[in-house]
Amino acid sequence: MNAEVERALGEPLVVGVDGSEPSLRAVDWAADEAVLRGVPLRVVYACLWERYEGAALARDIGKSTALPLAQDVAGAAAQRAGARHPDLKVTADVVFEEPEYALVREGRNASALVVGTRGRSGIAEMLLGSVSLAVAAHADCPVIVLRGSHDNQATPPVRGRVVVGVGEDVKESAAVRFAAAEARRRGVPLEAVRAWRCPAHETTDHPLLAGESARLHEERAVEELEAALQDVPADIDVRRRTVEGHARRVLVDASHEADLLVVGARRREGHFGLQLGRVAHAVLHHSACPVAVVPHRVHDA
């Protein structure tokens, strides 16, 4: 058993809530996922503004502080999860801090983080909220963003497959391991997708060479896909697919037939800003199903 799996055993699944409808749907999904993993569920409500504005609002409704308001949100979410799975251990906590910072910190001791697409300030559910994007870009653990029509459930499977995007660097196997574990928990096939392209400058009009460059790129993609999957347990039904095209488009298309789309994201030590990459960033905004972003630490030479 590798250290990554050992770290996740027993650590709670954390779901961020804010009282919005997307976050309540995230609670349903997270409760199912926690049961699948056999770990406790931790509900976290983080909000900075209630530290200041909440006190005035509380006075208006006859409460002395903002704390009861925040606890109402967290408590209601925890009760919702408990009603869905009575045997699930659920805890709730309130943190008066910017949500993105609080949730990233929570992720240091979590098996995974679950967040909705947007909170109360969102303008359209098709757009990813800034908190969800920031958490996905900085957390140390896998972050599952509940995009698309996930039917408020992780189980039973609706579409019957977990899809993982495989990149060029086969050493970045954390996403594949995560996706394989999720497919096993759900009892569904794992579909591994490797997108490839033939650069325009490599094409030729010579009739004897036409298509040769494309064939070489496709063969390389097949080899990289096999290398990435070599450690997937034999009891998992793995389906391999190489597709010509931009990885962003290929994976968004695949998301329409998936219960979960898994992508990797590099985390460079000492670097700031969004550490997602173009592919992860695109699928987080446009996927038709929940997206799991699995971090992979890299060290600059």
Side-chain angles (χ1 to χ4, degrees):
M1 183 180 298
N2 60 49
E4 182 180 325
V5 174
E6 289 178 342
R7 173 184 179 273
L9 287 177
E11 291 188 333
L13 184 75
V14 174
V15 58
V17 300
D18 62 5
S20 67
E21 182 60 29
S23 82
L24 292 178
R25 296 202 301 269
V27 169
D28 293 344
W29 198 97
D32 288 355
E33 179 72 12
V35 170
L36 278 176
R37 291 168 173 257
V39 299
L41 179 65
R42 177 170 164 78
V43 176
V44 175
Y45 175 47
C47 187
L48 183 62
W49 70 266
E50 283 200 15
R51 176 187 289 275
Y52 306 104
E53 298 180 29
L57 179 59
R59 287 193 298 271
D60 289 343
I61 62 174
K63 292 185 178 182
S64 59
T65 69
L67 189 58
L69 294 176
Q71 287 180 336
D72 286 348
V73 173
Q79 289 178 6
R80 182 181 177 115
R84 189 176 181 89
H85 294 288
D87 294 331
L88 176 63
K89 180 181 179 181
V90 184
T91 58
D93 198 10
V94 175
V95 182
F96 289 113
E97 188 179 5
E98 292 286 1
E100 51 268 45
Y101 298 127
L103 291 174
V104 167
R105 188 179 63 253
E106 290 284 341
R108 295 171 187 165
N109 297 299
S111 58
L113 283 167
V114 178
V115 292
T117 51
R118 64 181 177 89
R120 290 176 294 187
S121 61
I123 59 173
E125 192 160 350
M126 68 177 292
L127 300 177
L128 186 67
S130 60
V131 171
S132 301
L133 187 64
V135 173
H138 295 290
D140 292 325
C141 69
V143 176
I144 303 168
V145 179
L146 297 186
R147 285 211 53 84
S149 177
H150 52 80
D151 300 296
N152 294 20
Q153 64 187 54
T155 56
V158 176
R159 297 174 179 85
R161 73 186 66 183
V162 171
V163 173
V164 60
V166 175
E168 295 180 359
D169 191 348
V170 298
K171 293 182 292 184
E172 297 181 12
S173 57
V176 173
R177 290 196 299 271
F178 180 92
E182 288 295 311
R184 170 182 278 164
R185 293 184 184 109
R186 289 166 170 73
V188 300
L190 172 65
E191 181 174 301
V193 179
R194 173 74 172 95
W196 62 274
R197 296 183 63 214
C198 179
H201 68 271
E202 294 185 17
T203 59
T204 177
D205 294 328
H206 194 288
L208 297 179
L209 298 179
E212 181 66 14
S213 180
R215 183 184 64 80
L216 292 176
H217 281 281
E218 184 174 16
E219 289 179 352
R220 185 181 306 151
V222 170
E223 293 173 357
E224 292 167 346
L225 188 58
E226 289 299 326
L229 297 171
Q230 63 182 350
D231 294 327
V232 173
D235 63 323
I236 296 176
D237 180 7
V238 181
R239 301 175 183 180
R240 299 156 172 83
R241 191 155 65 95
T242 58
V243 184
E244 182 178 9
H246 289 280
R248 290 164 284 179
R249 178 186 60 78
V250 169
L251 292 178
V252 169
D253 288 347
S255 73
H256 289 272
E257 301 299 328
D259 292 305
L260 181 67
L261 172 62
V262 182
V263 294
R266 295 183 180 185
R267 297 284 196 267
R268 295 188 180 278
E269 298 291 344
H271 284 238
F272 301 97
L274 296 181
Q275 297 192 59
L276 281 174
R278 289 177 294 178
V279 173
H281 191 275
V283 299
L284 281 171
H285 281 282
H286 301 291
S287 174
C289 73
V291 177
V293 177
V294 181
H296 168 72
R297 287 288 175 187
V298 296
H299 303 278
D300 293 332

